[in-house]
Amino acid sequence: MVVLVTGASGQLGQALKAQANRYDNLTFVFKTSAEADITDRQQLEQVFNEVKPGFCINAAAYTAVDKAESETERAYAINVTGAKNLAEVCLQFNTTLLHISTDFVFDGNKDTPYTEDDATNPQGVYGKTKREGEQEIEKILPQHYIIRTSWLYSEYGNNFMKTMLRLAAECDKLGVVNDQTGTPTNANDLAEALLQIITRGKKAYGIYHYSNEGVATWYEFAGEIFRINNVLIDLQPIPASAYPTPAKRPVYSVMGKSKIKEVFGLSIKGWQESLAAVLKSYNEL
């Protein structure tokens, strides 16, 4: 079975690449956004014709949350038109699509974990384009899995964990937002979950939520990064209002994972345990 991965140079793409050799029954083809530009329908068709994938994991997305407020057309082209193109080409080639979405499709006004059935109400351009991308896929392609995730980090690419470690090396005191709550997600764990969905062969298509287990604020996430890595720094909790950003972020975006666990029999690690594993790997690089 051939698995095509788009957006191969991103965090999730690299995490999938690191795990590929553990799945002998799958043949992986990794394409960067230059090699398989999801905004270019013709190029996508050529890639699919050449690869003939049974599955496509779409790890390509516009994820610059704040920049999206001023780069609306680019965010829309990648997250909406790109998703539509992929859905149409997957339909044409009878390919099952695994598409990555986000907790930003919610407004963050709940105080209990979001389920897949909860109403969406994205507050910024990034969240709106990701939700519209989901809707295009739902409309066009029956054989799809849409996986919403949150606060993705890993040894790869740019992310909150690496930013915190860099800032800690540059300063003695740091203020981190303590009134936004969600769940950090290790991209390696997400990659494994996606590959489990493929190998378990259940055609239970639809929307799923996946993050690590547990709940944290950004301040608590930073504190755990520093604690595990023995970093001494004066870490201060600050309100989001003290650190204004172009895009509004959900105050609460914890996602319930009972559906994905029940349907695919997944066991999900707690975020602290998973963070410790990533930091160990990162420190060994």
Side-chain angles (χ1 to χ4, degrees), residues 127-258:
K128 285 173 183 170
T129 59
K130 290 300 286 181
R131 178 58 186 139
E132 284 186 48
E134 291 181 0
Q135 289 168 322
E136 289 290 350
I137 292 165
E138 289 177 303
K139 197 164 58 184
I140 295 162
L141 182 70
Q143 68 271 25
H144 69 263
Y145 302 96
I146 292 167
I147 317 293
R148 293 176 181 149
T149 192
S150 63
W151 298 24
L152 211 60
Y153 72 94
S154 64
E155 310 92 306
Y156 317 108
N158 299 312
N159 56 66
F160 182 81
M161 180 195 83
K162 290 165 87 169
T163 299
M164 289 300 105
L165 293 174
R166 176 177 56 76
L167 290 173
E170 294 169 0
C171 54
D172 302 321
K173 185 176 179 179
L174 191 58
V176 177
V177 170
N178 196 37
D179 55 1
Q180 290 171 353
T181 301
T183 308
T185 306
N186 174 355
N188 301 287
D189 291 345
L190 174 59
E192 187 174 351
L194 295 171
L195 297 176
Q196 290 293 318
I197 288 171
I198 290 172
T199 53
R200 295 196 178 174
K202 288 193 175 182
K203 296 181 178 180
Y205 304 126
I207 293 179
Y208 292 87
H209 289 173
Y210 183 91
S211 67
N212 282 111
E213 295 282 18
V215 174
T217 65
W218 291 106
Y219 167 76
E220 289 165 341
F221 186 15
E224 190 68 2
I225 292 166
F226 298 143
R227 186 192 70 76
I228 293 169
N229 240 37
N230 298 312
V231 174
L232 295 174
I233 188 168
D234 181 5
L235 183 64
Q236 297 290 323
I238 61 170
S241 57
Y243 186 69
T245 55
K248 187 183 175 190
R249 283 153 169 76
V251 172
Y252 180 94
S253 64
V254 177
M255 294 187 295
K257 294 164 283 286
S258 56

Side-chain angles (χ1 to χ4, degrees), residues 101-107 119-122 127 130-131 134 148:
S101 194
T102 172
D103 57 331
F104 274 68
V105 299
F106 299 112
D107 58 22
T120 56
N121 185 26
K130 290 300 286 181
R131 178 58 186 139
E134 291 181 0
R148 293 176 181 149

Side-chain angles (χ1 to χ4, degrees), residues 8-84:
S9 57
Q11 268 197 94
L12 180 58
Q14 291 183 70
L16 284 160
K17 201 174 279 186
Q19 299 205 25
N21 61 1
R22 293 174 46 217
Y23 291 82
D24 296 338
N25 55 334
L26 300 176
T27 302
F28 289 87
V29 177
F30 292 92
K31 295 285 186 183
T32 65
S33 294
E35 294 164 336
D37 180 354
I38 63 173
T39 68
D40 184 339
R41 172 69 189 268
Q42 197 175 353
Q43 189 188 38
L44 269 187
E45 282 188 18
Q46 286 172 349
V47 169
F48 271 67
N49 196 41
E50 172 194 316
V51 173
K52 298 191 169 46
F55 290 87
C56 173
I57 299 176
N58 180 31
Y62 183 102
T63 57
V65 175
D66 289 321
K67 261 191 184 173
E69 297 298 312
S70 56
E71 293 186 357
T72 309
E73 283 183 24
R74 182 161 163 70
Y76 192 94
I78 296 169
N79 292 344
V80 184
T81 308
K84 180 175 185 281

